[in-house]
Amino acid sequence: MARLALLGALALGAMPTVVAHTGRATSTISNPLLPSGPDPWIVRQGDTYFYMNTVGNRLTIRKTKDLSRLAEAAEITVWTPPATGPNAQSIWAPELHRIGNAWYIYYTAAEVGHDDDEHRGIFVLENLNTDPTRGAWTDRGQLNTEHRGIDGTTFAYAGKRYFVYSPYVGPASDLAIVAMANPWTLVGKETIIARPDLEWERRGGRQILEGPEFLAGPKSDLFLSYSASACWSDDYAIGLLSAGAGSNPLDPAAWSKAPRPVIAKAPEASVYAPGHNGFFAAPDGATWIVYHANPRPGMGCTAARAPRIQRVEWSLSGTPMFAPPTDAKVHIAR
């Protein structure tokens, strides 16, 4: 219960003592990073950042050594969908992961001729090149999830790999987890670990949890962020699940949910419907979050959603702390 109390306090704006961080050369970044970029994703490999977002009809990657110059980086198309088949259209929510000696892209797609929830799934591509903007991408197919769903992600914990996604279960979108035999094969029983059972997770006429993302805590705790409510609602927001060190991620009882969103709309900063986030590390080891948001109310789920970043601080107890969205410049280590 102490963890839930702290997470609830953070969502209400309380700021416990933070761990100090060392200074080094920085880049100054103005949010948003780009004028458009729904479902943003950033991963750093060495001194290079790779960035993806939903384009809709293909998968693209930008690469840069300086996030303040992301807009200057070429948008490189690395994959286009087939004309027919289960992954022919509505290419959404790409994530780029380095696993072992290969790169993998997880993405959502719909079957040709059936652009609806009943015909969506999550697919994976593999690239053995050290640079994901080069080399050939091998189609590893659709992940064999128990339900139709969207927004797949993967993480490793205690020597095992897991897959989390947002399945359509009746009228709701939940969060489910399952073990992986390899980066494209699910194994064992799939388990629902969270449902949209809070009032703020049901705004906009849909009961939705989606966009799960893993964050490892400094004390080996596990955290999963997620986006809740309909993306066309200004109240779309980011929530947080947590599990203690040594927990079994497949056990739904291991996960606790913060009672309020950890990042929500901030009209004073012209930030509406913040969500669909990812996490990445800066060169100094600091944790950062990237998410999209609209600059004005009532803009819905369009390409106007633009990527923003902000630093994630950590409490002395190892809990992530998320500042309210701001229109101020941010400074990231180089």
Side-chain angles (χ1 to χ4, degrees):
M1 293 302 294
R3 179 183 303 278
L4 281 176
L6 177 56
L7 291 173
L10 293 176
L12 290 169
M15 293 296 289
T17 303
V18 302
V19 179
H21 56 273
T22 59
R24 57 181 292 164
T26 62
S27 291
T28 300
I29 297 176
S30 296
N31 280 314
L33 301 179
L34 300 169
S36 171
D39 310 332
W41 178 263
I42 295 174
V43 62
R44 183 177 61 83
Q45 179 78 354
D47 62 355
T48 303
Y49 292 97
F50 297 99
Y51 169 88
M52 301 187 76
N53 62 239
T54 291
V55 177
N57 61 356
R58 65 193 188 281
L59 295 174
T60 66
I61 299 175
R62 296 177 189 249
K63 67 175 181 177
T64 183
K65 297 182 185 299
D66 185 350
L67 280 179
S68 69
R69 306 183 68 177
L70 181 64
E72 302 172 21
E75 189 177 63
I76 302 168
T77 297
V78 297
W79 181 83
T80 55
T84 62
N87 59 340
Q89 61 181 341
S90 296
I91 312 302
W92 296 349
E95 290 193 7
L96 176 66
H97 293 262
R98 183 70 173 175
I99 303 174
N101 294 320
W103 288 100
Y104 295 88
I105 295 177
Y106 295 84
Y107 67 96
T108 298
E111 184 177 348
V112 65
H114 299 279
D115 196 3
D116 56 59
D117 293 352
E118 292 300 317
H119 295 86
R120 298 195 200 286
I122 302 153
F123 301 79
V124 61
L125 305 170
E126 180 187 50
N127 189 338
L128 300 180
N129 199 294
T130 56
D131 182 344
T133 66
R134 301 182 178 183
W137 285 93
T138 300
D139 188 348
R140 290 295 187 179
Q142 182 173 355
L143 290 169
N144 186 29
T145 55
E146 183 176 332
H147 302 275
R148 291 292 186 173
I150 61 173
D151 295 353
T153 193
T154 183
F155 70 92
Y157 181 74
K160 298 180 180 179
R161 181 158 294 279
Y162 301 92
F163 179 76
V164 186
Y165 78 112
S166 174
Y168 299 119
V169 182
S173 294
D174 298 340
L175 296 181
I177 189 169
V178 61
M180 304 187 85
N182 57 48
W184 60 89
T185 306
L186 308 181
V187 62
K189 179 177 173 54
E190 184 176 304
T191 305
I192 301 293
I193 57 173
R195 303 181 190 276
D197 50 13
L198 300 177
E199 188 277 334
W200 68 269
E201 299 170 334
R202 299 171 171 227
R203 306 281 178 86
R206 287 286 298 270
Q207 304 171 174
I208 293 176
L209 304 185
E210 62 185 19
E213 298 300 344
F214 176 72
L215 178 62
K219 298 182 181 295
S220 299
D221 294 89
L222 299 84
F223 299 94
L224 273 173
S225 66
Y226 62 93
S227 298
S229 289
C231 67
W232 52 84
S233 166
D234 290 340
D235 293 313
Y236 192 61
I238 299 174
L240 193 68
L241 302 177
S242 64
S247 296
N248 175 7
L250 299 174
D251 180 5
W255 295 96
S256 299
K257 184 191 289 185
R260 296 177 181 266
V262 293
I263 295 181
K265 67 180 179 183
E268 68 281 2
S270 297
V271 175
Y272 297 87
H276 205 107
N277 74 279
F279 297 103
F280 65 97
D284 64 350
T287 301
W288 286 74
I289 185 172
V290 59
Y291 58 90
H292 70 223
N294 283 322
R296 296 185 302 279
M299 297 183 72
C301 296
T302 72
R305 294 172 293 173
R308 294 171 169 266
I309 65 169
Q310 62 190 58
R311 183 174 172 132
V312 179
E313 301 288 359
W314 294 93
S315 73
L316 292 176
S317 64
T319 300
M321 301 186 299
F322 302 86
T326 177
D327 55 0
K329 297 182 186 301
V330 296
H331 306 278
I332 189 169
R334 288 192 284 113

